[in-house]
Amino acid sequence: MAVISLPYRYLERLTRTDRKTILNKIALIGSDIERTEEDHVDVEFFPDRPDLFSPEGVARAMRGFLNIETGLPVYPVTPSGLSFTVDPGLAEIRPVLCAAVIRGLSFDDESIQSIMSLQEALHWAVGRGRSKVAIGIHDLSKVTGPFRYIAAPRDFSFVPLDYTESMTMEEMLEKHPKGKAYAHLVNNFKKFPLILDAHDQVLSFPPIINGELTRVTTGTTDILLDTTGTDRRAVMRAVSIVCTALAEAGGKLESVTIDGQVCPDLSASARTISVAECNKLLGLSLTPEEMAALLHRMRFGATPDGNGTLRVDVPCFRGDIMHNWDIFEDVAIAYGYENIQDNPPDTFTVGKPHPVQVLAMLVRDVFCGLGYLEVMPFTLTNEEVLFTRMRRKERAGILHVLHPISIENTVVRTELLPLLMEFFTLNRHRELPQRLFTVGDVVVDCSTYQQASGVSTHPDADFSEAYALADVVLHELSVEYTVTESDDPAFIEGRRADILVNGKKAGVFGEIHPLVLNAFALEHPVAGFEIDLRAVPGYPGH
Amino acid sequence: MADLTQNEKRLLVALAQDRHADIVSLAAQLNATPEAVVQWAHLAMDKGLVRLERTVKKTFVYTAEGEEYLKSGLPETQVLVGIGDGISLAGLQKLPAFKIGFGQLRKKGLVTVTGGMVTKAAGATTADDDAALKHPQAGGARVKDLIKRNLLQETETVGHTLEITPTGLALGKSGLDLREETGTLTRDQILSGEWKDLNLRRYDVTNLPKKAYPGKIHPYQRIIAEMREILLEMGFTELYGSIIQQSYWNFDALFQPQDHPAREMQDTFYLGETLPLPAGYERVKAMHESGGDTSSTGWGGVWKEEKAEQCVLRTHTTSLSIQYLAENPTPPVKAFCIGRVYRRETIDTTHLAEFEQLEGIVMDEDVTFGNLLGILREFYHRMGFEGVRFKPSYYPYTEPSLDAEVYVDGIGWIEMGGAGVFREEVTAPFGINYPVLAWGLGVSRIAMLRLGLKDLRNLHRSDVAFLRETPALRRRDGGA
């Protein structure tokens, strides 16, 4: 999520209203106020609205929402006469370039900070960590066109931002903080992307670092924006957002040519929406004119065309509008969620519990009746608990998480009983007897199914107690079973049995082996039982 | 004073004669152990009927060596007798007591040795030492010396003396019912009618009972069961399904772009396993790349099969909802699922890597966004939240999207869950032609409010005391 810092005075000047009015309504366009400070407010916006990642963008939206200035904002662009060429050798590396010139800006430390925050937020939300899009902002007065975007040898050197000495691009990937952070984006290529001016001065090594030469300072008035990437749509989207934000800040936009193509294109895109379809989805009954007025407040152009449809002009910075329903949402936001009639639908249906959950509730009933207390262990565990401490061999079909957070959570549980043993360890200091059970999912070979397990510990816990428990639970669940001596090493030899249902092993019970008790740091005997609930008649699919 | 136990009564009657007595003699008189008498005395003392005094008595015990000297006389006495009027040192050394006895005599200055001859000092006697050994209770330096020589051991015995108070005395003389008390009523007594003549022991109802611990379902499961009940009452069908999901069903079918940050290894638990894509996956691919046959632009770029085949631990139960809708595209559908979902988060007091999510969907011909708000309001009301409000939000697979907030006394408005209408990009590839209203919420957030939990981990790594002490019926505190 992007948290944007909005200085009150700047925001008030741009929005043309007071901070109280803005803060009262800002959440209603889709945001969360994180912190209100003396001189600014930090607001979190959603990743689909990067056009709100700057005070200028927020002010533009709020002017519309508050009816101060509505409709499609228009940003005039005049040609700068500057041009770029793109080296075909970049096709496999980082082929897309878009650029623009913004003149007549005045920067102070705060506004430099603000534009850098926008840049970073866009790198995250649109650029996917600079892989799809990387933005460079330069002091235009330091360089001379025409410019060239080339694939340069890795040992080409220049002075990167924040440094005073020249180094090779390869060295930057090893030494410069930004180089280290983003090296993975270029390191596989034989050549690196580079933007040079007419005198071979370096503007930028995208997507890593700019040259120190073109650093934006409080003396900067004219900016050259370069945006490179791998996805044309995403690059255009980022350029539109930065250009229009700087235009809102008072800049004059100028275009450049890139291999002859004029850039940027800040024109709106047109969509036609059905008023009836929008009303039907939202549960409203707006006239085309009312709907158009709401869309104007969301900074769209919208014109009723007399056929029950609206022609909607989507501003260039609204790259999140992918589908007509995205426009419907803006209608709803402008209308106000709080004003929408909230009646439940009259769809008639009959409630239907899932048989697996019905069975689980039944199992809980039976165990509770026997005085067993339910616990709900995590489903992620580790081999140490499942197998090593239980003296069992690792089970085939166990699923390993590829990137576990800790050594505690490396596999998905295949059994429940070892997890109950862990509960005894946790509760060693609590009063005995302790009788615990759990019922829940286990996973073997990508297949999820339910098991149930019960354990009892106290000085007299023994095989007979385990057998009695297994017998009564299976009886209550109408499971017809036979038993045979088990060879499960978790239990004491001669005090353990496998449960067979239709000749197939479905569970086990017995008296836990003292070595297992030692491994779980337990001092009293434990009687344990576990059953695969697929053995219960009526379990779905079995 | 009707609540005297039988034993307290016997104690009072026994004491009423001599007014005070020590516990040991009382114990003998009442045919009980001294420990039992002390216990009864404490009960009577709490009622102001007796005073119990602790006395410490010193007693002396002979060691085996001391015991022997008690019979044969101290070694110095034996040697002194052996000396007589004088004896050669060599002769004296033959006495078994010589080693200790002679040393003691020299120490006490009772003998002199001149030219191999031993003689007594004038008036030499060990009579006082012998007396000290015989009667150590008298105490004194000589007794201390004997203790030092390990002939005697001093022990302290704690005794109790009991004195009856005037109240106790009056009660003791008032004629108490001293019939034998009966604890457990027997079958024979009940059948024979003997119970009529029994003096049944009374219980002090102000004493707390012994704790009993019931078997019961987990307090968290109780909340899950309540939500399940509400949704079943509202006519929803319950879903259950695999924890392991293909990325295809977990992300792609929900129109989550393949480069979405939530799909990265840092946020989602991936498994090494892959599963083949289901028939018709091409429609999902087309939707991602170009928006299929809808008004959508799609995400652009190339949709990769191998990314969709990877298995993950489901990050939401929406993967089950979309599969259910794909299998049941005919309206109406109302379904819900409460199940464990997984996010690759570092575990702390308010974040778990696995937690329960509740999700509901409604698909019907004419359902609206307004209906979704209505369902949410109804559901939260039934969960005990009176104040419910909605605000715009963003979820990749719903449009319009919203967050629901509920009002909790003492806390204020808190976010309870997200909702929205499934995007057409989600429904169209599966031939679902009507709006799908969907909402989800984290069950543990409600559990934290209801159970007053400070640490979410206690739901899954529970202290048995917490489970035993949490009552089955909880007041709906915090508005929930």
Side-chain angles (χ1 to χ4, degrees):
Chain A
M1 293 284 154
V3 177
I4 309 301
S5 220
L6 303 171
Y8 289 133
R9 284 178 52 194
Y10 188 48
L11 186 67
E12 285 176 330
R13 182 158 68 78
L14 289 177
T15 315
R16 307 203 289 269
T17 186
D18 62 289
R19 68 192 71 174
K20 208 174 144 219
T21 311
I22 300 170
L23 291 186
N24 270 343
K25 297 283 184 187
I26 200 163
L28 300 184
I29 63 167
S31 70
D32 281 315
I33 296 176
E34 289 283 303
R35 273 175 302 275
T36 39
E37 304 279 353
E38 186 85 346
D39 59 340
H40 72 278
V41 58
D42 292 331
V43 183
E44 183 182 325
F45 292 96
F46 298 111
D48 65 324
R49 290 296 303 274
D51 59 301
L52 300 177
F53 291 178
S54 68
E56 295 84 4
V58 173
R60 175 174 58 206
M62 290 309 293
R63 287 201 303 275
F65 196 69
L66 296 169
N67 248 320
I68 295 165
E69 172 196 289
T70 60
L72 187 73
V74 178
Y75 300 99
V77 183
T78 53
S80 67
L82 293 169
S83 66
F84 283 76
T85 53
V86 179
D87 182 347
L90 288 160
E92 296 302 314
I93 304 172
R94 199 169 180 84
V96 185
L97 170 73
C98 186
V101 170
I102 306 99
R103 290 190 195 270
L105 293 163
S106 62
F107 283 105
D108 55 19
D109 290 337
E110 195 176 67
S111 52
I112 292 176
Q113 194 52 49
S114 172
I115 185 78
M116 300 211 336
S117 314
L118 170 61
Q119 204 179 335
E120 280 316 306
L122 289 173
H123 281 157
W124 168 75
V126 184
R128 299 285 190 245
R130 299 194 186 187
S131 67
K132 277 171 101 169
V133 178
I135 302 162
I137 291 172
H138 311 278
D139 186 333
L140 180 60
S141 69
K142 302 288 167 63
V143 286
T144 319
F147 303 97
R148 286 172 300 139
Y149 178 36
I150 62 164
R154 295 165 67 118
D155 59 359
F156 185 94
S157 10
F158 69 96
V159 182
L161 201 61
D162 298 329
Y163 276 67
T164 51
E165 320 237 311
S166 177
M167 60 172 89
T168 69
M169 297 201 280
E170 225 157 25
E171 282 168 341
M172 287 175 207
L173 298 188
E174 281 158 31
K175 291 181 189 159
H176 197 286
K178 296 288 176 199
K180 284 191 267 188
Y182 297 102
H184 62 279
L185 297 177
V186 291
N187 233 342
N188 291 336
F189 300 111
K190 290 203 181 77
K191 289 189 167 185
F192 289 159
L194 191 70
I195 302 177
L196 299 170
D197 81 345
H199 307 305
D200 284 352
Q201 300 187 101
V202 173
L203 282 78
S204 160
F205 165 21
I208 311 296
I209 189 74
N210 282 355
E212 175 65 24
L213 175 72
T214 56
R215 173 191 283 279
V216 173
T217 66
T218 48
T220 304
T221 56
D222 299 342
I223 272 182
L224 176 65
L225 167 76
D226 85 68
T227 307
T228 61
T230 53
D231 179 314
R232 181 160 297 276
R233 202 157 98 187
V235 167
M236 294 312 206
R237 190 176 178 195
V239 168
S240 307
I241 288 167
V242 177
C243 282
T244 59
L246 290 174
E248 292 282 345
K252 294 199 169 36
L253 302 177
E254 293 182 2
S255 61
V256 300
T257 61
I258 293 170
D259 285 340
Q261 297 271 31
V262 178
C263 184
D265 175 9
L266 301 181
S267 60
S269 53
R271 277 182 176 269
T272 303
I273 64 163
S274 153
V275 174
E277 189 192 345
C278 179
N279 276 330
K280 193 175 176 202
L281 184 71
L282 298 180
L284 299 176
S285 44
L286 300 167
T287 64
E289 289 71 24
E290 287 167 339
M291 196 173 283
L294 291 173
L295 286 172
H296 290 153
R297 278 179 53 218
M298 300 305 283
R299 306 312 308 261
F300 291 92
T303 326
D305 65 1
N307 298 322
T309 55
L310 289 181
R311 179 201 151 92
V312 179
D313 291 308
V314 180
C316 59
F317 51 82
R318 288 297 304 274
D320 60 301
I321 306 293
M322 299 173 66
H323 185 281
N324 288 350
W325 286 17
D326 294 309
I327 298 172
F328 297 175
E329 179 180 68
D330 277 53
V331 170
I333 290 172
Y335 185 84
Y337 284 13
E338 69 280 12
N339 299 319
I340 296 175
Q341 223 19 101
D342 53 356
N343 296 323
D346 40 22
T347 302
F348 176 80
T349 47
V350 173
K352 209 166 80 190
H354 194 281
V356 164
Q357 303 293 15
V358 173
L359 174 61
M361 294 303 269
L362 209 62
V363 170
R364 289 186 184 103
D365 261 6
V366 173
F367 273 105
C368 287
L370 294 164
Y372 280 68
L373 188 63
E374 186 181 26
V375 293
M376 302 173 78
F378 286 119
T379 54
L380 292 177
T381 179
N382 55 74
E383 295 96 326
E384 159 79 18
V385 170
L386 283 187
F387 308 116
T388 315
R389 287 194 212 166
M390 295 297 286
R391 307 177 70 227
R392 285 172 171 168
K393 274 209 227 57
E394 178 161 327
R395 180 170 179 162
I398 187 166
L399 298 185
H400 294 259
V401 170
L402 286 184
H403 301 275
I405 309 171
S406 74
I407 52 163
E408 307 270 294
N409 312 294
T410 52
V411 297
V412 188
R413 67 191 186 189
T414 52
E415 268 89 22
L416 302 176
L417 201 148
L419 307 181
L420 295 182
M421 295 296 289
E422 254 193 319
F423 268 86
F424 282 156
T425 310
L426 276 176
N427 286 285
R428 267 178 307 182
H429 54 299
R430 296 295 177 203
E431 203 176 318
L432 297 182
Q434 288 177 18
R435 294 191 171 91
L436 306 177
F437 81 96
T438 189
V439 51
D441 287 338
V442 297
V443 179
V444 175
D445 285 330
C446 287
S447 144
T448 303
Y449 56 91
Q450 296 244 309
Q451 296 211 153
S453 178
V455 288
S456 168
T457 185
H458 54 94
D460 301 321
D462 61 6
F463 176 80
S464 307
E465 183 175 350
Y467 202 166
L469 174 68
D471 179 65
V472 68
V473 170
L474 294 173
H475 172 75
E476 292 296 328
L477 299 176
S478 290
V479 177
E480 282 178 26
Y481 74 99
T482 55
V483 296
T484 170
E485 266 210 42
S486 173
D487 59 2
D488 188 333
F491 301 91
I492 298 171
E493 197 188 341
R495 298 183 176 201
R496 57 191 180 185
D498 286 340
I499 298 163
L500 304 180
V501 178
N502 297 324
K504 229 181 99 197
K505 184 178 169 179
V508 65
F509 63 85
E511 202 175 316
I512 299 292
H513 198 284
L515 284 173
V516 176
L517 299 179
N518 290 343
F520 282 98
L522 299 177
E523 294 172 5
H524 295 286
V526 172
F529 155 60
E530 176 146 17
I531 180 76
D532 180 342
L533 292 177
R534 291 177 298 181
V536 176
Y539 189 96
H542 287 269
Chain B
M1 285 294 165
D3 56 349
L4 286 185
T5 64
Q6 179 71 4
N7 288 323
E8 282 173 86
K9 290 177 195 167
R10 289 173 60 211
L11 186 71
L12 284 185
V13 170
L15 268 176
Q17 295 160 17
D18 296 338
R19 308 281 169 91
H20 58 84
D22 71 275
I23 294 289
V24 179
S25 59
L26 269 176
Q29 193 183 336
L30 295 171
N31 198 17
T33 63
E35 290 77 21
V37 176
V38 170
Q39 215 179 344
W40 308 338
H42 273 117
L43 289 173
M45 192 167 66
D46 289 344
K47 298 178 186 110
L49 303 177
V50 298
R51 269 193 293 276
L52 186 63
E53 261 172 52
R54 192 169 172 274
T55 54
V56 179
K57 205 162 86 188
K58 281 185 184 170
T59 53
F60 295 91
V61 178
Y62 295 98
T63 63
E65 194 184 354
E67 195 83 46
E68 195 188 314
Y69 298 154
L70 198 61
K71 288 181 213 140
S72 57
L74 286 164
E76 55 266 43
T77 310
Q78 293 178 41
V79 175
L80 204 62
V81 171
I83 293 170
D85 294 333
I87 188 168
S88 72
L89 189 59
L92 197 61
Q93 275 168 347
K94 287 178 186 140
L95 284 176
F98 172 81
K99 224 172 165 184
I100 301 170
F102 191 67
Q104 286 292 333
L105 291 174
R106 299 265 312 228
K107 207 169 101 191
K108 289 171 182 160
L110 297 179
V111 289
T112 46
V113 186
T114 348
M117 285 302 289
V118 184
T119 50
K120 290 183 199 172
T125 172
T126 55
D128 289 347
D129 298 290
D130 283 326
L133 184 66
K134 273 186 189 130
H135 308 289
Q137 290 83 353
R142 287 200 161 78
V143 173
K144 278 194 183 128
D145 189 47
L146 293 175
I147 291 170
K148 223 159 144 195
R149 286 170 67 184
N150 201 28
L151 305 181
L152 276 178
Q153 275 169 353
E154 189 181 29
T155 56
E156 283 188 352
T157 38
V158 177
H160 289 95
T161 315
L162 211 50
E163 192 184 354
I164 194 159
T165 65
T167 325
L169 189 62
L171 200 62
K173 288 189 166 164
S174 68
L176 293 164
D177 182 356
L178 288 178
R179 280 178 305 157
E180 190 73 21
E181 268 190 338
T182 302
T184 309
L185 209 50
T186 65
R187 177 178 180 272
D188 283 348
Q189 290 162 344
I190 293 168
L191 293 181
S192 65
E194 195 190 326
W195 60 271
K196 289 176 201 155
D197 303 319
L198 294 177
N199 180 20
L200 291 174
R201 184 183 306 137
R202 307 185 66 88
Y203 288 93
D204 180 354
V205 296
T206 62
N207 283 348
L208 292 176
K210 181 174 150 47
K211 268 271 176 210
Y213 299 114
K216 55 182 178 180
I217 69 171
H218 196 291
Y220 184 42
Q221 178 57 43
R222 217 173 272 285
I223 293 169
I224 292 171
E226 180 187 336
M227 293 181 164
R228 195 175 161 264
E229 203 71 19
I230 289 173
L231 289 159
L232 289 171
E233 283 168 6
M234 287 169 74
F236 285 75
T237 294
E238 186 174 36
L239 307 181
Y240 168 83
S242 181
I243 286 174
I244 312 304
Q245 293 289 335
Q246 258 177 317
S247 288
Y248 177 78
W249 287 117
N250 196 73
F251 297 122
D252 296 286
L254 297 165
F255 197 55
Q256 205 142 348
Q258 291 197 322
D259 64 355
H260 194 279
R263 297 183 68 152
E264 283 172 19
M265 295 284 187
Q266 292 98 293
D267 293 311
T268 297
F269 287 113
Y270 279 86
L271 303 166
E273 285 69 13
T274 57
L275 288 170
L277 296 177
Y281 79 86
E282 297 84 358
R283 288 193 296 274
V284 169
K285 179 183 168 74
M287 187 58 78
H288 277 251
E289 290 179 348
S290 63
D293 302 328
T294 68
S295 71
S296 178
T297 58
W299 293 112
V302 179
W303 186 87
K304 297 194 177 90
E305 279 82 354
E306 57 275 22
K307 279 207 88 162
E309 286 167 355
Q310 287 176 302
C311 286
V312 299
L313 299 182
R314 65 186 182 206
T315 63
H316 44 205
T317 49
T318 320
S319 49
L320 300 182
S321 304
I322 187 63
Q323 285 173 78
Y324 184 73
L325 284 167
E327 289 158 16
N328 301 276
T330 316
V333 170
K334 277 164 71 180
F336 78 100
C337 178
I338 302 176
R340 189 90 34 117
V341 300
Y342 302 79
R343 305 275 165 92
R344 202 174 167 281
E345 291 206 56
T346 306
I347 300 177
D348 63 28
T349 55
T350 56
H351 294 92
L352 300 178
E354 45 177 306
F355 51 92
E356 264 68 28
Q357 190 189 44
L358 177 152
E359 174 162 298
I361 48 166
V362 175
M363 186 261 279
D364 203 358
E365 285 179 35
D366 292 315
V367 291
T368 69
F369 185 62
N371 291 150
L372 173 61
L373 304 186
I375 294 167
L376 285 169
R377 192 174 292 283
E378 177 68 22
F379 175 76
Y380 284 116
H381 278 180
R382 288 185 184 221
M383 282 304 296
F385 298 103
E386 287 310 315
V388 183
R389 69 179 189 187
F390 310 108
K391 59 170 207 175
S393 187
Y394 169 72
Y395 296 98
Y397 42 91
T398 55
E399 194 78 13
S401 305
L402 70 97
D403 280 331
E405 293 182 329
V406 298
Y407 191 78
V408 178
D409 284 332
I411 301 180
W413 290 99
I414 56 172
E415 207 174 296
M416 258 303 162
V421 185
F422 272 0
R423 298 185 69 97
E424 199 186 1
E425 290 98 326
V426 175
T427 52
F430 302 103
I432 303 155
N433 299 320
Y434 302 101
V436 177
L437 314 179
W439 83 98
L441 67 120
V443 179
S444 58
R445 188 168 287 211
I446 290 188
M448 268 188 124
L449 281 176
R450 285 271 188 92
L451 301 172
L453 276 186
K454 301 251 177 328
D455 188 341
L456 269 181
R457 287 171 289 197
N458 204 14
L459 293 178
H460 303 288
R461 293 175 65 82
S462 310
D463 186 337
V464 161
F466 158 71
L467 300 178
R468 284 173 170 169
E469 281 155 25
T470 304
L473 176 68
R474 286 187 58 78
R475 250 191 59 240
R476 288 193 159 192
D477 34 10

